[in-house]
């Protein structure tokens, strides 16, 4: 089941409601996202990205996941 960039953004926003989120991708399975959120402050990049991946609720899990690839950039606000 292909997703829209807006679907992916909505999943992330549910977990990180105050984040600045930009999602690109138009083929339904390959996306690039930038997520900037204050909750990332003090966390390393792996910890930040784990929060985002958890928000995806398994949509990247296994070979049959709805999202095949996600180029993810995370950071705290500057």
């Amino acid at each position: 089941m292909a997703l829209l960039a807006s679907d992916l953004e909505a999943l992330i926003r549910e977990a990180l409601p105050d984040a600045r989120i930009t999602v690109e991708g138009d083929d339904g399975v390959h996306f690039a996202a930038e997520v900037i959120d204050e909750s990332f402050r003090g966390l390393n990049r792996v910890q930040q990205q784990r929060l985002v991946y958890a928000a995806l609720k398994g949509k990247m899990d296994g070979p049959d996941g709805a999202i095949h690839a996600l180029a993810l950039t995370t950071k705290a606000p500057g």
Side-chain angles (χ1 to χ4, degrees), residues 18-57:
D18 297 324
R20 288 189 315 225
I21 303 167
T22 304
V23 179
E24 297 176 352
D26 60 3
D27 71 355
V29 294
H30 300 94
F31 297 94
E34 179 180 61
V35 183
I36 302 170
D37 193 66
E38 185 60 40
S39 70
F40 295 155
R41 192 165 308 281
L43 301 179
N44 66 41
R45 190 176 316 171
V46 171
Q47 293 169 320
Q48 294 172 12
Q49 291 187 356
R50 283 182 179 158
L51 291 174
V52 176
Y53 286 125
L56 301 180
K57 300 179 180 178

